[in-house]
Amino acid sequence: MSKHFAVAIDGPAGAGKSTVAKGVAQALNAIYLDTGAMYRAVGLYMLRQGVPLDDAALVAAHAPQALVDVRYVDGAQRVYLCGEDVSQAIRENAVSAAASAVSAVVAVRELMVARQREIAAGADVVMDGRDIGTKVLPDAPVKVFLTAAAEVRARRRFLELQRKGQEVPYEQLLSEIKERDHNDATRAASPMVQAADAVLLDSSDMTVDEVVSAIVGLAKQRMEERRA
Ligand code: DC
């Protein structure tokens, strides 16, 4: 059994994973690792280099040059690509589709998963992504599959982008979310799937605080069991 505690939160885009995971990490005094940000950094690299995203062999060949690093500044995760802080750049809407494309490439996943496991081996973590409970940390004591209706997720994304001054039509976001769900769930390499031992939470009608409390409650219960 790992000496560090881990909470794995998987689920589709826009389910609220990152907001919830941050809250859980704070409550448990753990670090938060947003693994999607790492795939986004690789996607950004390929976009910048002009690597065709539908050419898996080329993406795989370029992947080792996309040096992704995660550091914590004042407790917040920052993502670096070849030494440059790209924490903001990876949030551009165009990077979402690029991240989804590169995340289907096995060589990219192997590099990211190795780094994610290294981080989990050194600290208590709350990690969110698509394959954390199934592949990255299959022994995590707490696994949650967090979801919400596609329309609710598209609306949240619309409001989030609007707050950042990016006006993207709701209908476009809804179709992008559905397309990403499809890509992430049907790819051959580590598809997004609920782990058999994960707790399913649908956040469509739950507040962030309610979801955080549910997961923190579960984590505390597991911690007690581990101590017993
Ligand atoms: O969570 P996000 O939207 O930032 O993730 C970006 C993309 O990366 C998403 O389309 C799926 C992929 N991803 C993945 O395949 N595995 C993870 N552990 C995290 C994200």
Side-chain angles (χ1 to χ4, degrees), residues 9-14 17-18 32 34-41 90-91 95-104 109 112-113 116 127-132 136 157 180-181 183-184 187 189-192:
I9 303 180
D10 291 302
K17 295 187 302 294
S18 60
Y32 161 55
D34 168 4
T35 62
M38 299 170 69
Y39 291 96
R40 284 172 177 273
I90 58 168
R91 298 297 157 196
V95 180
S96 300
S100 185
V102 301
S103 71
R109 301 204 70 83
M112 297 302 115
V113 169
Q116 290 155 14
M127 211 182 269
D128 78 6
R130 304 294 189 287
D131 61 338
I132 311 304
V136 182
R157 182 95 182 110
R180 271 216 288 156
D181 283 358
N183 289 347
D184 296 343
R187 68 179 179 222
S190 305
M192 171 180 70

Side-chain angles (χ1 to χ4, degrees), residues 20-40:
V20 163
K22 269 182 212 157
V24 174
Q26 202 171 21
L28 298 178
N29 204 15
I31 60 167
Y32 161 55
L33 181 65
D34 168 4
T35 62
M38 299 170 69
Y39 291 96
R40 284 172 177 273

Side-chain angles (χ1 to χ4, degrees), residues 65-115:
Q65 281 94 61
L67 298 176
V68 176
D69 196 14
V70 171
R71 290 178 223 156
Y72 291 85
V73 179
D74 296 331
Q77 173 180 315
R78 309 294 302 178
V79 181
Y80 293 79
L81 176 61
C82 304
E84 175 193 345
D85 185 343
V86 292
S87 310
Q88 291 258 261
I90 58 168
R91 298 297 157 196
E92 292 291 323
N93 201 42
V95 180
S96 300
S100 185
V102 301
S103 71
V105 177
V106 175
V108 172
R109 301 204 70 83
E110 283 172 353
L111 290 167
M112 297 302 115
V113 169
R115 181 75 187 110

Side-chain angles (χ1 to χ4, degrees), residues 42-55 58-59 62 98 102:
V42 177
L44 178 64
Y45 178 87
M46 302 298 163
L47 285 176
R48 285 180 172 177
Q49 298 296 317
V51 177
L53 295 165
D54 55 357
D55 188 333
L58 257 189
V59 169
H62 281 79
V102 301

